[in-house]
Amino acid sequence: EALRKLGASLRIGGPGTSRRKFKNVRAMSDKAEDAMFQGTLRKLGINQVPDIKEVQFVKEDGTCMVFSNPRVLANIGSNTFVCQG
């Protein structure tokens, strides 16, 4: 009877579920996230554009962001660009 009471206190779900003290939450690693991102880019048909040394973004307020040696990917037909780095 004591074992039964102890087992009931460890149960998280309803009857018939496994008895565990906590639910194990798995975090996604950076490699897995990067692989999913690359897969999404592949589905969009985005290819790398070679020989780009610098990318400048000019904001509406006049400030400028400069990226040196970025990895630029593009799908010219759908007007989609990705800058990494």
Side-chain angles (χ1 to χ4, degrees):
E1 191 174 320
L3 285 174
R4 211 173 292 139
K5 286 181 184 178
L6 179 65
S9 67
L10 295 177
R11 183 177 294 161
I12 290 178
T17 60
S18 61
R19 291 167 177 81
R20 56 187 176 199
K21 293 184 181 181
F22 59 91
K23 183 177 179 181
N24 189 9
V25 179
R26 296 176 188 232
M28 187 178 289
S29 68
D30 290 339
K31 279 187 176 181
E33 252 181 65
D34 191 44
M36 287 177 62
F37 181 66
Q38 295 301 326
T40 303
L41 292 177
R42 222 175 291 121
K43 286 179 188 175
L44 292 172
I46 294 178
N47 298 314
Q48 189 165 359
V49 180
D51 299 330
I52 294 182
K53 305 286 185 229
E54 183 178 86
V55 174
Q56 296 181 357
F57 289 105
V58 180
K59 297 181 183 180
E60 290 179 357
D61 61 357
T63 59
C64 184
M65 296 185 336
V66 179
F67 296 96
S68 298
N69 296 324
R71 181 174 176 223
V72 179
L73 305 140
N75 185 345
I76 307 297
S78 65
N79 200 23
T80 305
F81 296 89
V82 177
C83 293
Q84 293 179 326

